[in-house]
Amino acid sequence: MYSNKVMEHFKNPRNVGEIKDANAIGQVGNMKCGDIMKIYMKIEDETIVDVKFQTFGCGAAVATSSMATELVKGKKISHALKLTNSAVVEALEGLPPVKIHCSVLAEEAIKAAIADYYKRQGIDPEPIVGCSGDCQACHEQQERNEEH
Amino acid sequence: MDKVKYIYADNAATTRLSEEALTAMLPYFTQEYGNPSSIYSFSSNSRNAVSRAREAVAGVLGARDGEIIFTSGGTEADNHAIIGSAYANASKGKHIISSEIEHHAVLHALKRLEKEGFEVTYLPVDKLGRVKLDDLYAAARQDTTLITIMAANNEIGTIQPIEEIGAFARERKILFHTDAVQAAGHIPIDVNGMNIDMLSLSAHKFNGPKGVGALYLRRGIRVFNLLEGGGQERGRRSGTENVPGIVGLSAALTHAASNMENEAKRLSALRDSLTEGILKIPYTKQTGDQKNRLPGICSVIIEYIEGESIVLSLDADGIAASTGSACSTGSLDPSHVLIAIGLPHELAHGSLRLSLGRYNTREDVDNILKKLPPIVDKLRKMSPVWPGNLK
């Protein structure tokens, strides 16, 4: 079902854990969905110097969050904001269609953490980050299910 | 260096073909390959093999030969029984009673009937997955023509009160079909003692081959055909008989029946050890009826982690299992069975099913119990909702 890359990230996920003195924390998803991703970041000088994740979810959920943290670690916020779910999927060498929404959730989790960073400084994140980190992926999947 | 044995603990999904079944089937591929309907002597042996198989299957169920139809599997048998009887009796009524925990082969056949103007009452189940007889009695109406309730459930192992359901159906002159795909070969079935009118079974669930099953139809009941064609199976199920498959089904079922009590004792003991061992892990619970339960099915909930991840991790450790988590059903909803027994979504996503069978040993159980706890630990450490992680 999954590519070798996805299984690699599932078996040996990168950056698992918490950051005690994180200055950016974002959590997306919910139990109903069956997918929850939490991202911790340490941001200094507009750079994500450290990033960790915790995920409740399937193989794709773990792999996409692991890959997403890899793709933004050590990067500037402006670079991380350009992360798309497609980039995550490509880096993982593909995901089954029914699992694509996990990659969307991973993208939203990264953005939710960055949004939190700005909120903590009293800056409105919307114009910078855009998406509010809502469980868009879940809604889309829900609509698709209702269509059947 | 010893090659570590792969532990197959998903016998509810499918089973390995047994040696007896394989041996029985082999001659019918390249030696006795005649079409049973042909008139020359070359086909006598294959024709007789089908007859003998029919007799044997009837014997195991307590039925007559003429009441057994061979099919392509359990799904076809379910569709034939349900759609065929619904239409054949539509002039008497268009109400059907089923349950919320049936297999998709039953549920989707019923959905199609609903679209075509039939009305279906889906009986709820209690926390253990049992249909409540009072609900059944209350649901039956003058225009009810069919009750279809599975003998035992594939996900949580719960066995239904089939005798009571059959007795009620007989009294009210309503046809009673049971999907016995998980039950046949594992628990005793007596179609007369249990007042069963129609029954579905599938060979690959009791160490027979895939692609073949049987439908029991009580003599005298009205059921339309599903497949039309050359008129095989006394005009009720056209299509050239899958002779090797049918022979394999019969060999497997007869073997299972001959050893049923001993095997059920052996498997239940293994199942219970496995379940007890898993329940020692904190925040776990069993699903399904502890007492009225299929001998091989261990079904549990492991909180704070997700089922597909557990299954993939077990696979990496050489163990095959399954889950009712949403991520593995392809939709956002976890298994309808787990929802029907009242599990909230968050718990349903952590479901794990280990189904033991003929080729599983005590060693397999011990190895699973060695491998599972570290997997649970690793996944919980990674989980944002695990209380051990939260400050």
Side-chain angles (χ1 to χ4, degrees), chain B residues 3-20:
Chain B
K3 182 168 181 242
V4 179
K5 176 191 170 200
Y6 189 80
I7 298 172
Y8 182 75
D10 200 19
N11 287 274
T14 193
T15 60
R16 203 208 99 159
L17 186 69
S18 68
E19 294 300 339
E20 312 87 60

Side-chain angles (χ1 to χ4, degrees), chain B residues 16-23 206-208 248 251-252 255 358-359:
Chain B
R16 203 208 99 159
L17 186 69
S18 68
E19 294 300 339
E20 312 87 60
L22 179 59
T23 305
F206 47 80
N207 305 102
H255 181 95
R358 182 165 157 184
Y359 297 98

Side-chain angles (χ1 to χ4, degrees), chain B residues 141-269:
Chain B
R141 311 182 330 207
Q142 283 296 100
D143 62 334
T144 307
T145 56
L146 172 67
I147 295 169
T148 172
I149 293 176
M150 69 196 328
N153 182 270
N154 49 309
E155 296 195 37
I156 56 178
T158 300
I159 298 171
Q160 298 301 332
I162 292 302
E163 280 190 55
E164 288 88 327
I165 297 171
F168 175 69
R170 173 72 64 234
E171 190 196 298
R172 297 289 291 266
K173 297 197 172 45
I174 301 171
L175 284 179
F176 175 37
H177 166 256
T178 185
D179 173 347
V181 166
Q182 288 291 331
H186 303 293
I187 58 176
I189 293 171
D190 170 12
V191 294
N192 288 315
M194 296 171 175
N195 288 298
I196 297 169
D197 297 309
M198 301 184 282
L199 177 146
S200 311
L201 60 85
S202 175
H204 76 102
K205 304 289 191 179
F206 47 80
N207 305 102
K210 293 177 184 55
V212 60
L215 171 63
Y216 155 76
L217 292 182
R218 178 176 293 280
R219 192 165 78 160
I221 67 174
R222 288 173 50 80
V223 183
F224 287 173
N225 287 349
L226 191 66
L227 293 179
E228 299 297 357
Q232 289 86 350
E233 297 295 285
R234 296 187 182 189
R236 289 175 305 178
R237 196 276 182 186
S238 292
T240 301
E241 299 88 338
N242 173 3
V243 182
I246 288 167
V247 167
L249 183 157
S250 167
L253 188 60
T254 345
H255 181 95
S258 69
N259 200 29
M260 201 181 285
E261 217 184 303
N262 285 339
E263 181 63 358
K265 267 202 199 89
R266 186 190 77 91
L267 270 185
S268 309

Side-chain angles (χ1 to χ4, degrees), chain B residues 2-65:
Chain B
D2 275 334
K3 182 168 181 242
V4 179
K5 176 191 170 200
Y6 189 80
I7 298 172
Y8 182 75
D10 200 19
N11 287 274
T14 193
T15 60
R16 203 208 99 159
L17 186 69
S18 68
E19 294 300 339
E20 312 87 60
L22 179 59
T23 305
M25 291 168 74
L26 280 176
Y28 298 94
F29 288 111
T30 54
Q31 293 160 244
E32 304 294 348
Y33 57 86
N35 185 321
S37 304
S38 303
I39 61 175
Y40 36 69
S41 56
F42 178 61
S43 281
S44 310
N45 288 339
S46 58
R47 185 166 50 251
N48 290 338
V50 174
S51 301
R52 284 196 304 274
R54 198 184 307 282
E55 245 178 79
V57 171
V60 170
L61 298 176
R64 310 163 117 107
D65 299 5

Side-chain angles (χ1 to χ4, degrees), chain A residues 110-142:
Chain A
I110 298 288
K111 294 197 165 134
I114 296 172
D116 180 55
Y117 171 72
Y118 286 116
K119 271 191 230 141
R120 289 179 190 224
Q121 295 171 42
I123 302 172
D124 177 15
E126 282 262 0
I128 311 169
V129 180
C131 164
S132 61
D134 192 24
C135 197
Q136 177 67 9
C138 271
H139 296 318
E140 277 168 19
Q141 189 71 16
Q142 197 88 52

Side-chain angles (χ1 to χ4, degrees), chain A residues 2-14 62-63 66 92, chain B residues 378:
Chain A
Y2 289 130
S3 71
N4 289 337
K5 213 52 190 287
V6 170
M7 286 313 293
E8 220 312 278
H9 275 261
F10 174 73
K11 287 186 206 165
N12 300 301
R14 324 327 193 208
V62 173
S66 165
L92 287 172
Chain B
K378 179 180 176 189

